Each structure stands twice: as structure tokens, then as C-alpha cells.
Amino acid sequence: IISLVPYEDKHFIQNVVTGEVLHLEYRIELENDLQVIEYLINTWNQVNDIKLSVLTSSLMKFSSKKIVVFTEFIETSKYLETELKRLGYRVLRVDGKDRVYKSQAISDNFGISGAWRDEYDILVSTNILSEGVNLNRVSVVVNYDIAWNPVTVIQRIGRLNRIDSIV
């Protein structure tokens, strides 16, 4: 096939066959992709998370209270844990993967059956704690993400529907 190609194109085809041209083209495309990704990261880092800002300003009103923040997604719970810790809050994060390992800390810091410790102020949880757990020492429930099922919201509130609770 190469012998049928005009002489000036033979060099290009040989480079394609050996991978030199493809390597160069992929490298250029990857460098362009990297520039786009870096731009997106820089833009994202400059965006103020309004929802987080509202949450943190609300949390300041209840600084002496135990608070539970419910979210639908594990990644959101990790994000909230990181951001709230960065702001100086003492945060315990729980999801379905680690509930068993953290059950004693949950009970000790937010329930009444534990040792009444005060290691954490805020409990960030997925819906794993919206049923079957009594968080009697919690006074404030925050629904960071509203569940698609309204029963889930009611179950979340039911974790602490007690005197002096704010929902």
C-alpha cells in the first residue's frame, strides 16, 4: 500500500505506522485536555458555595447545640465533613459503610445510652441514620439535601423530635 502513495505522503504514513504521528497528536490533545481541566478546577475553586454558606451561617446560631446534618449522598457528606472541619467544627461523619464502626461514638456523643461524651458537635450522616437510631442529645436537624421521599424527611426529624428540638 505504501508504494501506491505519492512520495511526499510516504513519510507521513510511515510515521503513522510507527506511532510517531499518533503519539504527537495524542500528546497535543492531552495537553489541550489538561488546560481545560486546569481551567475548570481554577474556576470551580473561585465559586462560592452558597448552600454551604447558608448552612454555616445557620450553624452559628446554634453553636451550643448538638446538630445532625442529613444528606442523600456519601460524597456530599465527605465534602461537608471536610468543609465544616476546616471551619473549626468537631464533626463526626457516618454513612452505610462505617455505621457499625462508629455506633459507639454516635451513642456517646449524640444519644442518651452512651457515655455522654462531648467530642463532636455536628453529626453529618446519609440516610443510614434516619431510621432506628435515637439521637436524643441533638437539638437541631438540617436537611442539607431534601429526600425525594417525604417519609424520609419525617424519619429524619423523628430521630430527635423532643422538647427543645429545632427542625
Side-chain angles (χ1 to χ4, degrees):
I1 295 177
I2 291 179
S3 62
L4 299 176
V5 176
Y7 178 76
E8 58 272 0
D9 294 335
K10 285 182 185 178
H11 181 66
F12 176 79
I13 290 176
Q14 287 173 340
N15 287 340
V16 168
V17 170
T18 62
E20 292 175 20
V21 171
L22 291 178
H23 175 73
L24 178 62
E25 287 178 12
Y26 285 136
R27 182 176 177 174
I28 290 170
E29 288 179 20
L30 288 173
E31 287 174 354
N32 288 338
D33 290 347
L34 180 61
Q35 289 177 354
V36 170
I37 291 169
E38 287 173 345
Y39 170 78
L40 291 173
I41 289 171
N42 289 334
T43 303
W44 179 259
N45 288 336
Q46 294 174 9
V47 173
N48 184 17
D49 185 345
I50 301 298
K51 194 172 182 179
L52 180 65
S53 297
V54 170
L55 173 66
T56 55
S57 66
S58 298
L59 293 177
M60 285 189 244
K61 297 175 189 173
F62 305 109
S63 60
S64 64
K65 307 271 187 192
K66 295 277 188 178
I67 300 168
V68 63
V69 179
F70 282 108
T71 181
E72 289 281 302
F73 308 102
I74 292 174
E75 290 304 317
T76 303
S77 72
K78 290 177 180 177
Y79 169 71
L80 290 173
E81 175 188 33
T82 301
E83 292 301 311
L84 293 173
K85 282 184 175 180
R86 185 179 59 76
L87 294 170
Y89 290 101
R90 300 178 305 163
V91 179
L92 176 63
R93 188 188 64 78
V94 180
D95 60 51
K97 296 177 183 176
D98 59 7
R99 176 185 175 182
V100 173
Y101 306 111
K102 295 181 178 176
S103 62
Q104 192 62 50
I106 295 166
S107 179
D108 289 350
N109 286 276
F110 299 97
I112 59 170
S113 61
W116 283 75
R117 293 203 169 114
D118 193 31
E119 300 166 322
Y120 303 102
D121 305 309
I122 299 174
L123 176 61
V124 175
S125 177
T126 58
N127 285 331
I128 194 69
L129 293 184
S130 65
E131 292 183 56
V133 177
N134 289 323
L135 304 172
N136 302 73
R137 291 174 58 198
V138 172
S139 298
V140 179
V141 173
V142 176
N143 288 297
Y144 193 77
D145 298 325
I146 298 297
W148 64 270
N149 184 350
V151 173
T152 303
V153 175
I154 294 167
Q155 289 170 332
R156 289 173 176 180
I157 295 168
R159 298 310 89 223
L160 62 122
N161 193 9
R162 314 285 186 261
I163 296 173
D164 191 36
S165 297
I166 299 168
V167 180

PDB file of all heavy atoms in Angstrom, residues 5-16:
ATOM      1  N   VAL A   5       1.309   5.203  -2.603  1.00  0.00           N
ATOM      2  CA  VAL A   5       1.132   6.569  -2.084  1.00  0.00           C
ATOM      3  C   VAL A   5       2.214   7.451  -2.690  1.00  0.00           C
ATOM      4  O   VAL A   5       3.362   7.044  -2.839  1.00  0.00           O
ATOM      5  CB  VAL A   5       1.244   6.555  -0.545  1.00  0.00           C
ATOM      6  CG1 VAL A   5       1.152   7.958   0.023  1.00  0.00           C
ATOM      7  CG2 VAL A   5       0.165   5.665   0.040  1.00  0.00           C
ATOM      8  N   PRO A   6       1.851   8.708  -3.035  1.00  0.00           N
ATOM      9  CA  PRO A   6       2.880   9.630  -3.538  1.00  0.00           C
ATOM     10  C   PRO A   6       4.019   9.777  -2.533  1.00  0.00           C
ATOM     11  O   PRO A   6       3.828   9.637  -1.322  1.00  0.00           O
ATOM     12  CB  PRO A   6       2.126  10.948  -3.707  1.00  0.00           C
ATOM     13  CG  PRO A   6       0.684  10.588  -3.737  1.00  0.00           C
ATOM     14  CD  PRO A   6       0.550   9.289  -3.003  1.00  0.00           C
ATOM     15  N   TYR A   7       5.202  10.086  -3.046  1.00  0.00           N
ATOM     16  CA  TYR A   7       6.415  10.101  -2.233  1.00  0.00           C
ATOM     17  C   TYR A   7       6.292  11.010  -1.004  1.00  0.00           C
ATOM     18  O   TYR A   7       6.684  10.649   0.093  1.00  0.00           O
ATOM     19  CB  TYR A   7       7.613  10.528  -3.088  1.00  0.00           C
ATOM     20  CG  TYR A   7       8.884  10.601  -2.270  1.00  0.00           C
ATOM     21  CD1 TYR A   7       9.544   9.436  -1.893  1.00  0.00           C
ATOM     22  CD2 TYR A   7       9.390  11.825  -1.844  1.00  0.00           C
ATOM     23  CE1 TYR A   7      10.694   9.482  -1.125  1.00  0.00           C
ATOM     24  CE2 TYR A   7      10.546  11.882  -1.069  1.00  0.00           C
ATOM     25  CZ  TYR A   7      11.186  10.708  -0.718  1.00  0.00           C
ATOM     26  OH  TYR A   7      12.322  10.753   0.033  1.00  0.00           O
ATOM     27  N   GLU A   8       5.718  12.200  -1.163  1.00  0.00           N
ATOM     28  CA  GLU A   8       5.638  13.147  -0.037  1.00  0.00           C
ATOM     29  C   GLU A   8       4.749  12.636   1.085  1.00  0.00           C
ATOM     30  O   GLU A   8       4.898  13.020   2.224  1.00  0.00           O
ATOM     31  CB  GLU A   8       5.191  14.545  -0.503  1.00  0.00           C
ATOM     32  CG  GLU A   8       3.865  14.594  -1.199  1.00  0.00           C
ATOM     33  CD  GLU A   8       3.992  14.346  -2.709  1.00  0.00           C
ATOM     34  OE1 GLU A   8       5.100  14.129  -3.215  1.00  0.00           O
ATOM     35  OE2 GLU A   8       2.967  14.365  -3.368  1.00  0.00           O
ATOM     36  N   ASP A   9       3.798  11.751   0.771  1.00  0.00           N
ATOM     37  CA  ASP A   9       2.918  11.207   1.795  1.00  0.00           C
ATOM     38  C   ASP A   9       3.477   9.945   2.449  1.00  0.00           C
ATOM     39  O   ASP A   9       2.996   9.527   3.491  1.00  0.00           O
ATOM     40  CB  ASP A   9       1.538  10.891   1.204  1.00  0.00           C
ATOM     41  CG  ASP A   9       0.797  12.149   0.770  1.00  0.00           C
ATOM     42  OD1 ASP A   9       1.101  13.232   1.324  1.00  0.00           O
ATOM     43  OD2 ASP A   9      -0.055  12.045  -0.115  1.00  0.00           O
ATOM     44  N   LYS A  10       4.486   9.344   1.834  1.00  0.00           N
ATOM     45  CA  LYS A  10       5.032   8.096   2.374  1.00  0.00           C
ATOM     46  C   LYS A  10       5.635   8.312   3.766  1.00  0.00           C
ATOM     47  O   LYS A  10       5.465   7.489   4.650  1.00  0.00           O
ATOM     48  CB  LYS A  10       6.089   7.509   1.435  1.00  0.00           C
ATOM     49  CG  LYS A  10       5.526   6.867   0.212  1.00  0.00           C
ATOM     50  CD  LYS A  10       6.633   6.268  -0.628  1.00  0.00           C
ATOM     51  CE  LYS A  10       6.039   5.733  -1.927  1.00  0.00           C
ATOM     52  NZ  LYS A  10       7.079   5.196  -2.789  1.00  0.00           N
ATOM     53  N   HIS A  11       6.300   9.427   3.960  1.00  0.00           N
ATOM     54  CA  HIS A  11       6.921   9.714   5.247  1.00  0.00           C
ATOM     55  C   HIS A  11       5.849   9.819   6.333  1.00  0.00           C
ATOM     56  O   HIS A  11       5.993   9.274   7.431  1.00  0.00           O
ATOM     57  CB  HIS A  11       7.738  11.002   5.159  1.00  0.00           C
ATOM     58  CG  HIS A  11       8.429  11.360   6.447  1.00  0.00           C
ATOM     59  ND1 HIS A  11       9.431  10.594   6.974  1.00  0.00           N
ATOM     60  CD2 HIS A  11       8.224  12.380   7.315  1.00  0.00           C
ATOM     61  CE1 HIS A  11       9.836  11.128   8.132  1.00  0.00           C
ATOM     62  NE2 HIS A  11       9.117  12.225   8.347  1.00  0.00           N
ATOM     63  N   PHE A  12       4.731  10.520   6.016  1.00  0.00           N
ATOM     64  CA  PHE A  12       3.626  10.656   6.974  1.00  0.00           C
ATOM     65  C   PHE A  12       3.050   9.293   7.321  1.00  0.00           C
ATOM     66  O   PHE A  12       2.844   8.980   8.485  1.00  0.00           O
ATOM     67  CB  PHE A  12       2.540  11.574   6.402  1.00  0.00           C
ATOM     68  CG  PHE A  12       1.333  11.684   7.295  1.00  0.00           C
ATOM     69  CD1 PHE A  12       1.362  12.516   8.402  1.00  0.00           C
ATOM     70  CD2 PHE A  12       0.188  10.952   7.027  1.00  0.00           C
ATOM     71  CE1 PHE A  12       0.256  12.624   9.232  1.00  0.00           C
ATOM     72  CE2 PHE A  12      -0.919  11.041   7.850  1.00  0.00           C
ATOM     73  CZ  PHE A  12      -0.880  11.891   8.957  1.00  0.00           C
ATOM     74  N   ILE A  13       2.806   8.456   6.315  1.00  0.00           N
ATOM     75  CA  ILE A  13       2.227   7.134   6.564  1.00  0.00           C
ATOM     76  C   ILE A  13       3.181   6.275   7.380  1.00  0.00           C
ATOM     77  O   ILE A  13       2.765   5.577   8.305  1.00  0.00           O
ATOM     78  CB  ILE A  13       1.844   6.448   5.235  1.00  0.00           C
ATOM     79  CG1 ILE A  13       0.656   7.185   4.628  1.00  0.00           C
ATOM     80  CG2 ILE A  13       1.497   4.980   5.456  1.00  0.00           C
ATOM     81  CD1 ILE A  13       0.232   6.690   3.270  1.00  0.00           C
ATOM     82  N   GLN A  14       4.468   6.332   7.081  1.00  0.00           N
ATOM     83  CA  GLN A  14       5.427   5.551   7.868  1.00  0.00           C
ATOM     84  C   GLN A  14       5.430   6.012   9.327  1.00  0.00           C
ATOM     85  O   GLN A  14       5.514   5.208  10.242  1.00  0.00           O
ATOM     86  CB  GLN A  14       6.826   5.660   7.250  1.00  0.00           C
ATOM     87  CG  GLN A  14       6.959   4.881   5.961  1.00  0.00           C
ATOM     88  CD  GLN A  14       8.284   5.118   5.269  1.00  0.00           C
ATOM     89  OE1 GLN A  14       8.956   6.114   5.530  1.00  0.00           O
ATOM     90  NE2 GLN A  14       8.639   4.211   4.372  1.00  0.00           N
ATOM     91  N   ASN A  15       5.296   7.311   9.531  1.00  0.00           N
ATOM     92  CA  ASN A  15       5.234   7.822  10.904  1.00  0.00           C
ATOM     93  C   ASN A  15       3.949   7.380  11.600  1.00  0.00           C
ATOM     94  O   ASN A  15       3.945   7.103  12.792  1.00  0.00           O
ATOM     95  CB  ASN A  15       5.338   9.345  10.928  1.00  0.00           C
ATOM     96  CG  ASN A  15       6.745   9.819  10.625  1.00  0.00           C
ATOM     97  OD1 ASN A  15       7.691   9.051  10.757  1.00  0.00           O
ATOM     98  ND2 ASN A  15       6.871  11.052  10.203  1.00  0.00           N
ATOM     99  N   VAL A  16       2.847   7.317  10.847  1.00  0.00           N
ATOM    100  CA  VAL A  16       1.593   6.837  11.419  1.00  0.00           C
ATOM    101  C   VAL A  16       1.745   5.372  11.805  1.00  0.00           C
ATOM    102  O   VAL A  16       1.349   4.950  12.886  1.00  0.00           O
ATOM    103  CB  VAL A  16       0.416   7.024  10.438  1.00  0.00           C
ATOM    104  CG1 VAL A  16      -0.812   6.260  10.922  1.00  0.00           C
ATOM    105  CG2 VAL A  16       0.094   8.495  10.272  1.00  0.00           C
TER     106      VAL A  16
END
